[in-house]
Amino acid sequence: MTEQELINFFKHSDLFDYMVTRPLDHILPNWELMWDDDTNRFIPEEDSFAQKVNEMLDELIAIPIPDKNHDNEDILAEHVKQHLNWNIAKIHGRWISCDYQEIINQGSFGDEEQKNLLAAAKGRISAAIQHGQTKFDGMEYGHQRILAMVLASILYQRSYNIY
C-alpha cells in the first residue's frame, strides 16, 4: 500500500467523521471534518479532532503493514484475558464470549504507545484495499465498524493522554 492509497482511503469520506469522531463529540464538539485537497489532510479547526487525525494518518503512513492482520488485535485480546480476567477464548480464529469491539477497546488501554492499535488499523486498511475496498466508505460494514472503533480508541486515548 502506498502513501497515496492510504490518503485516498480517507479522502472525502462521508462516513469517517460520523463513525470515528462523532462518538467523541463529548470531548471535542466539532466532529465534522473537512478535507483540504491541496494538503491532502483534514483542515484543522477549533474544537476539532482534525489535527489529531492528521497526526494519526502520518503515523499510519510511516508504520509497516503487519505480516498477519489480526496478530495485533490478538495481543490486545490477550491483555484483556490476562489482566482484566475476562472469560474470553479464541476458537477457530474468533474471540468468543464478548463483543469483539469491546475486547479490542478495553485491551487497548494496556497498549504501550498504541503500537498494536496503530498496526491493527494499518492491517485493516491494507486488507480492505487489497480486496478492492479502496475507500473507508466502501469497506465491508463489519470491518468498517471495527476499524472505526480502533481509530476512535486512538483518538480518545490521545485526548486524555492515556497511552
Side-chain angles (χ1 to χ4, degrees):
M1 167 176 42
T2 67
E3 176 179 339
Q4 193 58 51
E5 287 175 315
L6 191 135
I7 294 299
N8 288 342
F9 187 78
F10 293 106
K11 185 177 189 174
H12 296 295
S13 171
D14 292 326
L15 297 175
F16 178 83
D17 47 358
Y18 178 76
M19 295 181 75
V20 177
T21 56
R22 184 178 181 196
L24 303 172
D25 69 351
H26 60 287
I27 301 169
L28 292 173
N30 187 1
W31 59 269
E32 293 180 284
L33 305 179
M34 296 183 359
W35 189 263
D36 182 347
D37 285 322
D38 293 331
T39 63
N40 266 336
R41 296 293 187 273
F42 291 101
I43 299 171
E45 297 179 280
E46 186 176 345
D47 294 328
S48 165
F49 280 102
Q51 187 58 42
K52 287 186 184 307
V53 171
N54 290 337
E55 292 165 4
M56 183 174 58
L57 288 177
D58 290 338
E59 288 180 73
L60 288 170
I61 289 167
I63 65 171
I65 298 168
D67 293 332
K68 295 182 181 176
N69 283 343
H70 294 288
D71 283 357
N72 300 95
E73 293 174 9
D74 287 347
I75 291 169
L76 301 173
E78 287 293 341
H79 176 81
V80 166
K81 183 176 178 178
Q82 293 173 5
H83 298 283
L84 300 179
N85 298 318
W86 285 20
N87 185 22
I88 59 173
K90 189 169 186 179
I91 299 175
H92 304 296
R94 296 180 154 252
W95 288 94
I96 60 164
S97 296
C98 191
D99 178 64
Y100 188 65
Q101 287 180 272
E102 201 55 37
I103 292 170
I104 301 305
N105 187 39
Q106 290 301 309
S108 71
F109 287 97
D111 188 15
E112 183 181 333
E113 297 180 6
Q114 299 178 320
K115 64 182 179 183
N116 289 300
L117 276 177
L118 288 164
K122 181 82 174 236
R124 284 189 174 274
I125 295 164
S126 174
I129 291 171
Q130 286 176 0
H131 288 94
Q133 301 166 20
T134 59
K135 303 287 283 176
F136 180 85
D137 292 4
M139 281 186 82
E140 185 275 324
Y141 180 68
H143 292 285
Q144 183 186 54
R145 280 185 39 234
I146 294 170
L147 176 59
M149 182 278 308
V150 167
L151 298 172
S153 292
I154 292 169
L155 294 171
Y156 175 85
Q157 291 177 22
R158 290 180 177 189
S159 296
Y160 290 109
N161 295 314
I162 294 173
Y163 69 106

